[in-house]
Amino acid sequence: MNIFVLNCGSSSAKFAVIDADNGREHVSGIAQRLGSAEASLDWKVDGTKHTRALPGAGHDAGLRAAVDVLDELGLTGGLAGVGHRVVHGGSRFLGSVIITPAVVRQVEDCIPLGPLHNPPNLIGIAIAQELFPALQQVAVFDTAFHQTMPARAYTYPVPHSWLEDDEVRRYGFHGTSHRFVAAEAVRLLELDPHDHALVTAHLGNGSSATAVLNGRSVDTTMGLTPLEGLMMGTRSGSVDPAIIGHIARVRGMDPLAVLDALNKQSGLLGVSGLSNDLRTLEEAAEDGHERARLAIDILVYTLAKSIAGLVVPLGRLDALVFTGGIGENSSLVRGRVIEQLGFLGLTLDADANARCIRGVGGRVTRSTRPQAVVVNTNEELLIARDTAALVAPTLS
Ligand code: AMP
């Protein structure tokens, strides 16, 4: 069953047509730099890349151009539904849903919680409804997987009225990825689907780790926003919130500008002063760049601390799962984190760890419990599967 998968961001829209039954990706692409003179559509079919300039195109023109490509490939006629990545579902959505006017209103209600992401997600939904009026549309939320967290994990120790009146609590993100790789790890390692304890580490430019007990998220590192938790490419992760008031005062800055710097000028970029890209930092550290080394040291140390912390709600650890650009490719970060966590019983298989790069996954430890495993994430496939499962009963 072919599904059109759409992930609409503020200046880009990623799309794919995926057969939800066998995972085959017929086409994937991105309309990017939307709203600028350099806007373009880039797509890939059977490993061959194509590009088309779309000067001045906004979301509407970008998505129409993507649908033209689908037409040229003969894919539009066979579509069974459209699956949308929606970032923030607040406490309203516990799973994926067919999009109705009421769902759109609820996603709009979540805009204060996801002010950067939900508006472009809603634009994508509106355009896709116009382009494919006969198809059911499904929303798959980044936050939904974490709605199983207990109150003690999601409640901040702040005035309770902030939760009651303003929905200030921990939501967590990357839920689609955590859910996908957790299920894959259970399958790969032949764990009991009803009795397993995992920590999934999605490590990319944005990073989060989740404690997964028997298929359910019981705690995660990201919070009200994706700023909390692990050190990331440009985000600080968790820091003393008093830093905001302090820097605002001593530098005469607007607190919102300080917050912006914690999101965009911190993390690997902030510490190294060089780049948010781990590859660049690994090379620089190799060449003796002290702050690149420090950035990697902090990344590894704080990641290991967070993973160990996530074993608390699990009570034991069967497997540590690495995914995301860093998790799938950096044998350095994986190897050092596993060594740091040796006290949990993890023992590194250095050869297997070195082999897991660019799409190669598998076990990277010699220990049988706990194990560590690299799983390539595929959020688009999970969106396609959820969409297919929801639209199938409506198709007959
Ligand atoms: P993502 O946001 O999931 O695309 O991940 C991006 C991050 O993955 C960047 O920091 C990249 O430097 C990192 N990454 C990708 N490939 C490698 C690699 N071969 N070695 C180290 N880091 C990598």
Side-chain angles (χ1 to χ4, degrees):
M1 186 184 284
N2 281 350
I3 303 294
F4 183 50
V5 176
L6 190 56
N7 176 0
C8 212
S10 58
S11 63
S12 70
K14 284 193 204 156
F15 65 93
V17 173
I18 297 174
D19 185 334
D21 301 320
N22 57 22
R24 178 166 175 222
E25 193 179 82
H26 294 286
V27 58
S28 66
I30 180 167
Q32 52 191 340
R33 295 180 291 274
L34 296 172
S36 81
E38 289 79 40
S40 68
L41 183 73
D42 301 278
W43 71 97
K44 203 166 72 178
V45 183
D46 293 330
T48 309
K49 291 181 180 168
H50 307 263
T51 189
R52 197 170 281 173
L54 300 172
H59 285 87
D60 196 60
L63 282 176
R64 276 178 203 280
V67 173
D68 286 345
V69 167
L70 264 49
D71 266 335
E72 289 160 25
L73 294 168
L75 288 169
T76 25
L79 292 176
V82 183
H84 296 266
R85 175 189 182 212
V86 179
V87 171
H88 221 306
S91 304
R92 292 165 180 77
F93 296 100
L94 314 184
S96 304
V97 290
I98 290 191
I99 298 175
T100 61
V103 166
V104 169
R105 276 195 300 280
Q106 286 177 296
V107 174
E108 285 167 353
D109 289 344
C110 293
I111 289 177
L113 297 169
L116 301 179
H117 295 102
N118 279 25
N121 296 160
L122 283 160
I123 290 174
I125 291 170
I127 298 173
Q129 282 176 329
E130 207 185 304
L131 291 171
F132 299 107
L135 294 182
Q136 296 271 21
Q137 320 257 332
V138 167
V140 179
F141 298 91
D142 267 27
T143 48
F145 182 56
H146 303 298
Q147 281 297 303
T148 45
M149 284 193 289
R152 64 168 185 262
Y154 73 69
T155 309
Y156 288 116
V158 296
H160 209 60
S161 63
W162 296 3
L163 170 63
E164 287 161 347
D165 302 340
D166 299 309
E167 301 180 80
V168 170
R169 48 159 281 181
R170 304 182 63 251
Y171 291 98
F173 298 88
H174 292 140
T176 318
S177 179
H178 290 294
R179 191 177 133 215
F180 181 85
V181 298
E184 281 292 293
V186 167
R187 200 177 54 77
L188 259 159
L189 302 175
E190 298 180 344
L191 300 174
D192 183 340
H194 306 293
D195 184 17
H196 58 262
L198 313 176
V199 173
T200 51
H202 177 109
L203 311 174
N205 204 27
S207 299
S208 67
T210 296
V212 181
L213 188 63
N214 309 333
R216 292 154 68 90
S217 167
V218 289
D219 203 350
T220 192
T221 55
M222 281 180 168
L224 172 73
T225 77
L227 182 58
E228 190 179 346
L230 307 176
M231 175 190 192
M232 309 182 210
T234 65
R235 295 190 196 117
S236 60
S238 294
V239 292
D240 183 346
I243 288 176
I244 296 180
H246 177 76
I247 290 292
R249 224 171 22 253
V250 298
R251 297 200 173 189
M253 278 170 76
D254 180 339
L256 287 179
V258 184
L259 184 62
D260 199 53
L262 291 177
N263 268 302
K264 297 184 185 152
Q265 303 294 328
S266 301
L268 293 175
L269 173 66
V271 175
S272 70
L274 195 63
S275 175
N276 63 319
D277 193 305
L278 182 68
R279 264 168 303 196
T280 308
L281 298 191
E282 287 189 4
E283 281 163 23
E286 186 80 4
D287 293 341
H289 192 291
E290 278 306 319
R291 277 169 51 194
R293 264 188 203 162
L294 177 62
I296 296 171
D297 281 351
I298 301 172
L299 180 79
V300 167
Y301 170 67
T302 52
L303 180 55
K305 270 209 305 189
S306 295
I307 291 168
L310 287 170
V311 179
V312 172
L314 297 173
R316 69 171 204 265
L317 182 67
D318 296 332
L320 168 60
V321 187
F322 288 101
T323 195
I326 293 172
E328 292 172 26
N329 293 295
S330 176
S331 45
L332 177 94
V333 166
R334 285 192 309 253
R336 287 185 54 188
V337 167
I338 288 169
E339 275 168 358
Q340 192 117 47
L341 291 172
F343 68 91
L344 288 174
L346 290 159
T347 49
L348 183 67
D349 181 336
D351 292 338
N353 187 40
R355 276 196 300 276
C356 287
I357 185 164
R358 281 189 280 282
V360 178
R363 278 180 53 178
V364 292
T365 39
R366 282 182 281 112
S367 45
T368 50
R369 182 179 287 187
Q371 322 185 40
V373 65
V374 177
V375 175
N376 295 293
T377 194
N378 193 340
E379 294 164 82
E380 291 75 16
L381 176 56
L382 194 54
I383 293 173
R385 283 184 187 155
D386 274 12
T387 304
L390 284 166
V391 303
T394 70
L395 291 179
S396 50

